[in-house]
Amino acid sequence: TPKMGKDIQIVPQGNIRLENSQTDLLIGALTILSGSVPTRPIIIGTDITLINHWHSDIKLVELSYTLESNHQHELAHGLAKATRISPIIVASNSQKTIPLQVIIDPVKLSRHDWIDIMQTEQKIFLKGSAVVEVWGFEHRQDFDKDVTPYLKKVAKSMLPLAS
């Protein structure tokens, strides 16, 4: 059977992209800075790469992930569109990049949380769990990546909008 982490690898990418419009960002930044709760979520996109070094195809049947602070405070969560009925198939000796969308609930990201991310050593992690099926057997792999530097870039790009 394949070994997770060797034959099958799930690698979170370091890229973060804002998927909100400029108008939504401006309204969100002004609302957060005013101390109010924004009505529109902050939508951040990122990717993971599923690498198949195994000698047959694999199926990604489940992928869940969260965005968490190092204080175990969940800021956002999501699920990929991979299911047992419609899995994401990765051919032998190839890889597939899977886009993820993290929707940050405005209630879960207060002005205080935002300031902590910007000014302190608080770290934010993309954590997830994936279930891969090979020859009818399911294998689970957990992953995490520190995305603090990328989120700080996102936050800094929003702050000039409010000034």
Side-chain angles (χ1 to χ4, degrees):
T1 63
K3 304 255 188 281
M4 293 301 283
K6 181 181 176 198
D7 300 317
I8 301 169
Q9 296 175 321
I10 299 169
V11 182
Q13 301 302 303
N15 57 344
I16 299 275
R17 58 191 173 272
L18 280 170
E19 296 190 354
N20 293 78
S21 70
Q22 287 286 13
T23 303
D24 286 343
L25 289 176
L26 178 59
I27 291 168
L30 290 171
T31 306
I32 289 170
L33 292 172
S34 72
S36 302
V37 176
T39 56
R40 296 179 176 139
I42 299 169
I43 304 171
I44 298 173
T46 188
D47 302 302
I48 62 162
T49 300
L50 180 57
I51 304 168
N52 180 7
H53 295 293
W54 190 243
H55 54 78
S56 66
D57 294 355
I58 62 173
K59 296 177 185 179
L60 178 66
V61 296
E62 184 182 314
L63 177 64
S64 61
Y65 49 92
T66 59
L67 196 63
E68 296 180 10
S69 72
N70 58 350
H71 303 297
Q72 308 303 323
H73 179 73
E74 183 180 304
L75 303 172
H77 66 276
L79 296 168
K81 294 180 181 179
T83 65
R84 286 168 175 72
I85 296 169
S86 60
I88 295 173
I89 298 172
V90 182
S92 175
N93 293 311
S94 68
Q95 65 184 31
K96 186 171 276 192
T97 300
I98 301 163
L100 306 180
Q101 195 174 60
V102 180
I103 300 172
I104 299 175
D105 182 350
V107 174
K108 292 185 179 183
L109 186 65
S110 68
R111 182 172 188 258
H112 178 69
D113 292 331
W114 197 259
I115 291 169
D116 276 353
I117 291 168
M118 291 298 294
Q119 296 179 347
T120 67
E121 296 301 316
Q122 178 177 336
K123 294 196 179 289
I124 306 295
F125 296 92
L126 175 67
K127 294 182 176 185
S129 180
V131 177
V132 176
E133 182 182 307
V134 182
W135 298 344
F137 295 100
E138 292 185 354
H139 304 275
R140 179 176 299 277
Q141 180 178 347
D142 295 328
F143 60 89
D144 64 30
K145 180 162 183 89
D146 179 2
V147 294
T148 309
Y150 308 105
L151 286 177
K152 283 187 177 186
K153 285 182 188 176
V154 168
K156 285 179 184 176
S157 73
M158 286 179 66
L159 290 179
L161 295 174
S163 57

